[in-house]
Amino acid sequence: MRYEAPTSTREAIALMSGAKGDAYLLAGGTDLLVRMRGEFIDPDLVVDIKRLPGIQEIRKTARGFSIGAGVPCAALGRHKPLLRAWPGVVEAAQLIGSDQIQGRCTIAGNLCNASPAADSVPALVAATAKAVIVGPGGRRRLAVEKIITGPGATSLGKGDIVSAIELPNRPPKSGDAYLRFIPRTEMDIAVCSAGVSLTLGPRNVVKQARVALGAVAPTVVLVPKAARAIVGTRLEDDALQRLAAACEAACSPIDDKRGTVEFRTEVAGVLARRAAVIAYERARKKR
Amino acid sequence: MKGIPVSTTVNGDDVEFVCDGRETLLDVLRNHLGLIGAKEGCGTGDCGACSVMLDGQLVCSCLVLGAEAEGREIETVEGMADGEKLHPLQQRFLEHAALQCGICTPGFLIAAKALLDHNSSPSESEIRYALAGNLCRCTGYDKIVRAVRAAAGDVRRQQKARARRKAAAQN
Ligand SMILES: Cc1cc2nc3c(=O)[nH]c(=O)nc-3n(C[C@H](O)[C@H](O)[C@H](O)COP(=O)(O)OP(=O)(O)OC[C@H]3O[C@@H](n4cnc5c(N)ncnc54)[C@H](O)[C@@H]3O)c2cc1C
Ligand code: FES
Ligand code: FES
């Protein structure tokens, strides 16, 4: 196996697009190395992106935040402006693994690994995050939900590299939150999860909302009907009930020892309700 | 198979080795550098027995490629004691019998040091969260948590003594 750690993006793209055999990008390696060692994959080439220019930086831009694809999740929580603007995205990213894993794992890797249970993805989808993709065809920007096409499958082409994840600026009175269910308090994979992002208008009435669910379908699902259920409300009980019902209707989970279909479906609705309430409180407390 | 030459720093010493692309940092430490403190419990990031510091960040060395170490700084349990003088964590682990078979101990020591280096007054639940990536089959964890609390007290006293010496030097 060849290992390369290019220092220019052009070189990285050339290595990946010119590769014969199986080539993989390496970010934090917390999925890739596990799959290599478990002999699920047998790479001929691994291209480490961590030495690419700017890949380890979180930048404030005119549009919002640009999080380099090499930034470990532990660094997200240390970035105060990001934490203030997008607490739900940061809390989702920081649920991944232990402190050891946090020091390595990235949200770009979490996205590109395309697990239906990836923790940061529902929060990113709710947040209207975009992936910046560089590749043989140049540079483009794509909504994160357009990257994942199925369990372990993405829409990325040969030589495409996600160079950063972008989060927009926040209007005033906005908040987000992410919750997952696991059978213990740490170090487990989500049985189901929910991310909610919302913005309040006059008199704290919900003006805009996005609700996304994890681990209840082959990919993360955006549930516009759940968002519509709370727009125009102050999260009164009946609004929350409609939100939960819309979430339940959007679930098509697997049935396994970690959670039955009924359990995952019901809990997804409960988590979405609770996440909505947390996001609402965060938004209300902001100016 | 052509080897990859790597220059790095381990516990402050310049080190060079040649590794295969597939070898992990844990393989390199144990098989090429003779540093067998870090252990392989699982090889999949779950047990923390292989914990080391990489550029000041706690990581599982089983999930780092040896080749990634180029130009980096690595700290392992072998660098924790100051000559014959044990680190407070090592001393307190002994006193509190925070180990039985000892397989998990180097990982716990490194992870606990990573915690105390940035927070010398952790609560019990902060300690338990910080050590959630380390598994122990023997002790039941309580003794480990108690040893870390005691060591935190030692670290705080060391910090105070250092601050006093500094203040005295300035007067
Ligand atoms: C002990 C343990 C606990 C874990 N707990 C959780 C958890 O609680 N929740 C959770 O969601 N996940 C968890 N994971 C899985 C994993 O840590 C996450 O999915 C992590 O975010 C992956 O990021 P990475 O940077 O390590 O990815 P890598 O392993 O480097 O890459 C993952 C995949 O994405 C591709 N890729 C990486 N970067 C890019 C890029 N920039 N552009 C295109 N493709 C790219 C790689 O080729 C690879 O196929 C855990 C893993 C371990 C070992
Ligand atoms: S051997 Fe690395 S975490 Fe278990
Ligand atoms: S002392 Fe045996 S595993 Fe911890």
Side-chain angles (χ1 to χ4, degrees):
Chain A
M1 184 192 98
R2 198 169 138 211
Y3 166 86
E4 296 289 343
T7 50
S8 90
T9 306
R10 187 186 302 183
E11 197 191 333
I13 296 168
L15 276 166
M16 287 302 287
S17 40
K20 296 188 187 69
D22 287 339
Y24 289 89
L25 291 168
L26 169 69
T30 60
D31 280 314
L32 193 70
L33 263 69
V34 172
R35 278 158 68 213
M36 268 169 66
R37 293 181 68 98
E39 296 178 356
F40 297 103
I41 54 170
D42 184 15
D44 298 294
L45 170 69
V46 164
V47 176
D48 186 351
I49 61 168
K50 289 191 293 297
R51 293 183 199 249
L52 295 178
I55 206 92
Q56 303 272 13
E57 286 166 26
I58 304 177
R59 282 186 306 123
K60 183 77 193 70
T61 65
R63 269 198 302 269
F65 296 91
S66 174
I67 303 164
V71 174
C73 289
L76 302 183
R78 293 194 291 259
H79 195 283
K80 292 290 171 297
L82 179 68
L83 187 58
R84 212 171 305 126
W86 293 103
V89 171
V90 173
E91 75 194 344
Q94 300 217 312
L95 281 173
I96 299 172
S98 55
D99 283 8
Q100 283 88 335
I101 302 298
Q102 281 288 309
R104 297 272 292 171
C105 68
T106 65
I107 50 174
N110 198 220
L111 175 68
C112 296
N113 191 58
S115 156
D119 276 309
S120 72
V121 180
L124 289 172
V125 169
T128 65
K130 294 203 162 46
V132 182
I133 301 161
V134 293
R139 196 184 145 91
R140 63 192 198 277
R141 223 177 237 102
L142 198 62
V144 290
E145 59 269 31
K146 299 252 167 69
I147 300 265
I148 309 164
T149 52
T154 69
S155 60
L156 298 173
K158 189 168 179 174
D160 279 347
I161 303 172
V162 172
S163 62
I165 303 288
E166 291 186 343
L167 289 167
N169 284 320
R170 283 305 243 167
K173 292 223 171 200
S174 299
D176 69 331
Y178 173 79
L179 291 173
R180 70 172 179 185
F181 176 83
I182 56 172
R184 48 203 282 230
T185 47
E186 273 279 83
M187 297 289 282
D188 211 337
I189 301 163
V191 174
C192 57
S193 68
V196 176
S197 170
L198 46 78
T199 298
L200 308 184
R203 297 184 328 287
N204 291 336
V205 169
V206 177
K207 193 165 78 181
Q208 262 174 6
R210 269 166 80 91
V211 179
L213 304 176
V216 292
T219 64
V220 167
V221 275
L222 184 65
V223 194
K225 207 169 160 203
R228 282 199 296 277
I230 55 170
V231 169
T233 76
R234 287 200 202 91
L235 299 197
E236 293 83 358
D237 232 21
D238 58 329
L240 285 173
Q241 235 146 49
R242 275 181 280 127
L243 165 120
C247 287
E248 287 183 18
C251 292
S252 52
I254 55 166
D255 209 359
D256 69 5
K257 64 174 190 294
R258 308 184 66 250
T260 60
V261 168
E262 295 75 19
F263 180 84
R264 287 177 197 256
T265 304
E266 189 179 336
V267 176
V270 173
L271 292 179
R273 261 184 91 129
R274 292 182 187 168
V277 171
I278 297 170
Y280 187 88
E281 281 310 307
R282 285 176 177 166
R284 209 172 52 82
K285 284 184 190 139
K286 273 199 206 155
R287 251 166 269 276
Chain B
M1 172 93 33
K2 213 170 88 231
I4 303 167
V6 177
S7 311
T8 186
T9 311
V10 181
N11 299 325
D13 296 333
D14 290 338
V15 167
E16 288 182 7
F17 59 85
V18 175
C19 70
D20 178 73
R22 271 167 211 282
E23 279 182 295
T24 63
L25 178 58
L26 179 63
D27 297 331
V28 166
L29 290 171
R30 293 182 59 85
N31 304 338
H32 296 303
L33 303 179
L35 296 171
I36 54 170
K39 303 283 187 282
E40 181 167 82
C42 64
T44 52
D46 293 290
C47 77
C50 64
S51 298
V52 302
M53 301 300 284
L54 177 67
D55 278 353
Q57 182 87 59
L58 178 68
V59 300
C60 293
S61 61
C62 72
L63 296 185
V64 178
L65 291 175
E68 290 185 62
E70 174 65 38
R72 307 280 192 228
E73 281 178 22
I74 297 153
E75 289 162 65
T76 70
V77 71
E78 285 86 351
M80 242 174 118
D82 182 7
E84 291 291 296
K85 196 174 175 316
L86 294 181
H87 185 278
L89 279 162
Q90 294 172 308
Q91 189 61 42
R92 294 295 190 178
F93 266 57
L94 287 174
E95 286 166 15
H96 284 76
L99 63 149
Q100 288 176 29
C101 79
I103 288 276
C104 67
T105 312
F108 270 102
L109 287 171
I110 290 287
K113 181 169 182 292
L115 169 67
L116 296 189
D117 281 350
H118 68 88
N119 177 6
S120 56
S121 319
S123 65
E124 173 164 347
S125 92
E126 281 172 328
I127 294 172
R128 287 187 185 270
Y129 269 104
L131 300 179
N134 294 78
L135 300 182
C136 176
R137 283 187 92 267
C138 305
T139 64
Y141 301 102
D142 272 356
K143 290 178 171 184
I144 293 176
V145 173
R146 265 179 258 154
V148 174
R149 290 198 90 158
D154 299 337
V155 168
R156 286 197 299 277
R157 276 187 290 280
Q158 283 179 355
Q159 286 167 344
K160 270 199 204 126
R162 221 172 297 136
R164 263 200 306 276
R165 274 200 301 277
K166 211 170 141 198
Q170 273 164 0
N171 283 337

